[in-house]
Amino acid sequence: MLRETKFDGYPSGPVIASRRRGHLRPNSVVNWFVTMFETIGANGCSSHSGRRAFTTNGARAVHKVGGSLRDVQLLAGHRSIETTQGNIDGNTPGQRKLINLL
């Protein structure tokens, strides 16, 4: 649940709130993901695999909204852009299309 405080029309506060409405600690977020993945039967998934997927999908789509890789870095919670780049999976069909454009 999000807190009601608004900033520029957007809700602020924790994305995933604890039952007491505060921020979840990192290990609690990991445990939350484990529970959610077990609930939907997503075997082999983890908070890290979800974070990698988020980073990859965000990097592929950020240009559509006028954003940059820095925005993806901040949303993923990475301290360095190198970490963000290391979490982006390659796309062989996309590479082939790019080469064909050149």
Side-chain angles (χ1 to χ4, degrees):
M1 300 182 143
L2 295 172
R3 285 191 280 173
E4 296 299 318
T5 308
K6 304 283 183 178
F7 178 76
D8 291 341
Y10 293 99
S12 65
V15 174
I16 303 170
S18 72
R19 291 182 185 178
R20 296 181 187 148
R21 301 201 153 309
H23 292 272
L24 288 178
R25 294 176 186 236
N27 285 341
S28 298
V29 173
V30 169
N31 292 334
W32 181 86
F33 272 106
V34 167
T35 302
M36 292 299 110
F37 287 135
E38 285 176 355
T39 300
I40 64 172
N43 298 325
C45 294
S46 67
S47 59
H48 184 70
S49 66
R51 191 177 192 187
R52 277 187 75 89
F54 172 84
T55 303
T56 297
N57 293 333
R60 291 180 183 166
V62 71
H63 71 281
K64 295 176 184 176
V65 296
S68 69
L69 193 55
R70 172 79 172 142
D71 296 311
V72 176
Q73 174 194 352
L74 293 171
L75 289 169
H78 295 145
R79 289 187 180 164
S80 72
I81 198 74
E82 289 84 7
T83 302
T84 305
Q85 291 171 322
N87 276 274
I88 299 170
D89 293 325
N91 181 341
T92 302
Q95 293 169 9
R96 288 188 179 122
K97 289 177 185 176
L98 178 60
I99 292 299
N100 288 332
L101 287 176
L102 301 177

